[in-house]
Amino acid sequence: MEIQNLQATKTLTVSDSIHTTKENVRKIAPTAAEIQAWIVSYLADLLEINPDEIDTTIPFDRYGLDSAVVVGLTGDLEAWLDSKVDPTLIYDYPTIEDLTRHLAEELGAKM
């Protein structure tokens, strides 16, 4: 009987430790540089160009992104950040730099 109780206690401790670790990971916001690098990489892959060819200061619409692509981009960004990203933010913050700055501020990331 004592052995079973010890095993149950040990299982709870391991489970709690895993839960705590996941919570800690979620609380660490990516830096502004990491957010910008993610967006640049995403667009480069999408457009099949080198990331060096992505200018972070020109509007997203200059890359020919339609609304379906914008929704896909913000959805994938939302999943990566583990935080809600409204697709209309692309229109409110029309460049990669603008969007990165906004998201970093929202997430409390280091600039």
Side-chain angles (χ1 to χ4, degrees):
M1 187 70 130
E2 284 185 34
I3 292 173
Q4 289 176 345
N5 287 339
L6 286 175
Q7 287 175 340
T9 302
K10 187 174 183 177
T11 301
L12 287 175
T13 302
V14 170
S15 176
D16 289 345
S17 176
I18 291 169
H19 180 69
T20 301
T21 301
K22 285 180 180 177
E23 291 298 319
N24 289 341
V25 169
R26 286 187 185 144
K27 291 180 181 176
I28 298 172
T31 65
E34 290 170 330
I35 295 169
Q36 182 167 305
W38 188 94
I39 296 170
V40 167
S41 175
Y42 188 95
L43 283 179
D45 284 349
L46 183 72
L47 300 170
E48 298 179 352
I49 60 175
N50 190 316
D52 294 339
E53 297 177 59
I54 301 290
D55 184 343
T56 61
T57 63
I58 67 170
F60 286 102
D61 63 355
R62 297 263 308 270
Y63 290 106
L65 306 181
D66 62 21
S67 59
V69 171
V70 168
V71 170
L73 185 155
T74 54
D76 289 344
L77 183 58
E78 182 175 294
W80 181 70
L81 292 172
D82 193 25
S83 181
K84 178 78 177 144
V85 177
D86 190 320
T88 62
L89 287 178
I90 297 282
Y91 303 105
D92 295 336
Y93 303 95
T95 69
I96 293 172
E97 283 187 357
D98 292 341
L99 181 61
T100 296
R101 188 176 311 110
H102 170 75
L103 291 172
E105 288 172 5
E106 284 276 316
L107 298 170
K110 294 178 183 175
M111 298 296 280

